[in-house]
Amino acid sequence: MGKRKIAVIGVGKIAIDQHLPVIDASEDFELAATVSSRGIAHNGLPVFRTAAELYAAMPEVGLVSICTPPGVRHTLVREALDAGKDVMMEKPPTTTISELDDLIAHAKRLDRVLFQTWHSQYNAAVDRTKALLAEQGVKSVRIDWRESVRKWHPGQDWVWEPGGFGVCDPGINAFSIFTKIMPFPVFVESANLTFPANKMTPVDVEIGFKSGQAHKPALSAGFNWLEESGEIWTVHIVTGTGNDIKLEGGGRRLIVNGELILEHGDAEYAGIYDRFADLLDQHESDVDAAPLRLMSDVFLLGARTNGPAFSW
Ligand code: NAP
């Protein structure tokens, strides 16, 4: 079978950093076109201002990868499904659970493949940690997710608008690891969200979780978007048997009792496209709503504080 033709919708930072190079190198996919409101083409391929123009001009393209901000994704995914396309979505999937539920139901109704990506889950060290926790249980978890918004979202005003998630945009990556590795369900118990006085989304969030487990594990997370010293993307776990586990580098480095067990480079987006190819082969959807559900609860339960104004 030849390569599958795919179009990328929304040619911004993540499309340019990851999706386009990974598709270029893929044995399963071949980029056919881009959809870009600013008219950004790739490798001289056709570029369309809207998805509708792509669907009309190139009906042979059966797949789309939607790399826009989450606020416009529900409309774009619905439009793609209605046009008979199988769809990959960047994270966070949508801005609300009800939109995501609608997309899952719509894909099922139309018998299309819908794939929700959570890139941080595509790390061997995350899989190894999940296996360790399944064997040993969990006594405590502390998540620290700190990075620079200026580095990772340069000039992106949408992150500060309602539905842009603020620091919970990277924070949901931590949740996608957390919900994957935990051997029991977790719930938000409390949250404190600090908003820059001139912005609509939080820049700093501190969260406490409960679990309903009799041994009352201590579970907490902190996200911050003004960390200029480099990324701190760490999940620190003490297991039920007393082992100290650090998952660092956003899920790429596993340290147990101070000993480096596993470290690997960036294979996240290659893994995502491999998974999409498998789903297409099996004609199956894969949408994990757990990280978005947990993050919605942060916003539902959270207390709000105003902090200093933000400027780029
Ligand atoms: P970005 O640089 O702002 O790019 C998003 C692109 O989507 C824009 O360049 C634009 O492309 C298109 N778009 C369509 N409607 C838009 C709207 N209403 N507002 C803004 N852009 C619109 O953002 P990004 O960093 O690539 O993030 C996109 C998604 O990827 C987000 O959900 C984010 O969480 C996720 N993600 C980002 C990173 C990262 O490192 N930044 C990492 C992993 C995942 P055209 O001009 O071509 O239409």
Side-chain angles (χ1 to χ4, degrees), residues 152-176:
W152 291 97
H153 292 273
Q156 296 176 15
D157 289 326
W158 64 265
V159 299
W160 297 116
E161 297 296 328
F165 286 75
V167 73
C168 295
D169 176 277
I172 205 166
N173 299 333
F175 276 13
S176 73

Side-chain angles (χ1 to χ4, degrees), residues 83-143:
K85 312 301 173 190
D86 295 320
V87 179
M88 174 193 283
M89 299 191 272
E90 251 300 347
K91 50 63 56 176
T94 49
T95 46
T96 65
I97 297 286
S98 43
E99 282 181 341
L100 185 57
D101 285 348
D102 177 66
L103 294 180
I104 294 168
H106 203 53
K108 192 169 180 193
R109 204 159 37 234
L110 296 176
D111 195 27
R112 301 281 22 125
V113 174
L114 180 62
F115 176 34
Q116 175 51 50
T117 66
W118 294 108
H119 62 85
S120 299
Q121 293 185 343
Y122 289 78
N123 282 300
V126 172
D127 292 327
R128 187 79 75 86
T129 304
K130 179 181 169 70
L132 288 172
L133 302 196
E135 282 167 17
Q136 301 182 16
V138 174
K139 193 171 168 200
S140 67
V141 177
R142 172 66 194 176
I143 296 169

Side-chain angles (χ1 to χ4, degrees), residues 157 160-161 195-202 304 306 309-312:
D157 289 326
W160 297 116
E161 297 296 328
F195 290 65
N198 57 341
K199 300 294 178 194
M200 306 301 280
T201 58
R304 175 183 174 135
N306 275 341
F310 174 84
S311 60
W312 292 107

Side-chain angles (χ1 to χ4, degrees), residues 46-83:
V47 53
F48 300 90
R49 296 282 171 174
T50 67
E53 290 169 29
L54 163 73
Y55 303 150
M58 299 182 76
E60 71 278 16
V61 179
L63 313 173
V64 291
S65 178
I66 301 190
C67 303
T68 65
V72 290
R73 213 169 282 132
H74 177 257
T75 304
L76 287 169
V77 174
R78 267 233 165 214
E79 185 186 13
L81 293 170
D82 285 337

Side-chain angles (χ1 to χ4, degrees), residues 12 19 29 35-36 62 68 74 145 163 175-176 192 204 223 226 230-231 249 268:
H19 291 262
F29 299 96
V35 174
S36 170
T68 65
H74 177 257
W145 222 257
F175 276 13
S176 73
N192 284 294
D204 183 276
F223 310 149
L226 300 175
E231 294 72 44
E268 293 179 356

